[in-house]
Amino acid sequence: MPAGDKRQASENELVEVGRAVDPARSSPHTAEDSIVSFLRVWGTEDAVNGWGKEDDVHEYLERGRKSLVLDNVLGVDGAKVLAAALRDNTTITTLNLNKNEIGDEGAAAIVKGLRGNTTLTCLVLMANEIGDKGAAAIGEALHHNTTITHLLLDLNKIGDEGAAAIGEGLRCNTTLIHLHLSNNSISCLPEEMGDALTNLEYFYLRNNELTRLPRSIGKMNKDCELCFDGNPLKEPPLAVANQGAEAIARYFEEYGNKL
């Protein structure tokens, strides 16, 4: 059978397995639905009818997987099942839960499940309907976490309070170097925000609602890549802000007393 035909056959088989787990498919996001995405990621050799309960997920994760990518299947209940299985996991280094509609409750469950985790380095929670409450839970987790280096929270509903909570969580964090908060609803950053972000190498805040940056952003690592495209920035102007921390610091030194 040609490779393309094998791929199509595999995908068809995975769909059938998913239907066998939940024939009614009454809800697009049940905990059991997570089987479909897991199987799409890892292949039919793991297609075991009935997979999707907490014990099964735990056993699956203990097979030494280093990367787990789930797209558009979890929902809140599925996030809770996955979170419970992640508590004792020592192999996953990348967890990508892009577009799973887990919301604040699901986000809080995931980071709680990762409490004490010492292997995860990359956490992707993009496009998950996460608001300020979920961001607050993430900020609290960052306060204690010592391994995550990349955190992607783009395309959510995080506002000023959520951004402030994440910044507060980073005050004691020395490992995070990539922070992505693009396409949220952030209009204002706390004045001391930059003091908490000095370890960052990448800080992306595209397409928010910022009109002004706090002066403390000028204290960030001079080599940190900053991107504020899509914000109606006036202080400093967008062209200055995107040049980096040193340019921001110079702007406020020159114009600060006139603003």
Side-chain angles (χ1 to χ4, degrees), residues 121-162:
T121 59
C122 180
L123 178 60
V124 181
L125 296 175
M126 295 170 59
N128 270 296
E129 305 289 324
I130 297 170
D132 287 341
K133 290 183 178 179
I138 293 169
E140 176 63 23
L142 289 172
H143 185 80
H144 303 285
N145 185 269
T146 59
T147 59
I148 294 177
T149 58
H150 293 62
L151 177 61
L152 281 68
L153 294 169
D154 310 279
L155 295 162
N156 281 294
K157 297 181 177 181
I158 298 170
D160 297 350
E161 291 183 11

Side-chain angles (χ1 to χ4, degrees), residues 105-127:
E105 189 176 355
I110 291 294
V111 295
K112 182 178 180 180
L114 292 171
R115 187 176 296 169
N117 181 280
T118 58
T119 56
L120 190 76
T121 59
C122 180
L123 178 60
V124 181
L125 296 175
M126 295 170 59

Side-chain angles (χ1 to χ4, degrees), residues 149-186:
T149 58
H150 293 62
L151 177 61
L152 281 68
L153 294 169
D154 310 279
L155 295 162
N156 281 294
K157 297 181 177 181
I158 298 170
D160 297 350
E161 291 183 11
I166 290 171
E168 187 63 29
L170 287 173
R171 284 187 174 279
C172 298
N173 184 293
T174 60
T175 54
L176 193 77
I177 57 175
H178 283 241
L179 177 59
H180 294 231
L181 287 167
S182 296
N183 295 90
N184 277 283
S185 301
I186 302 167

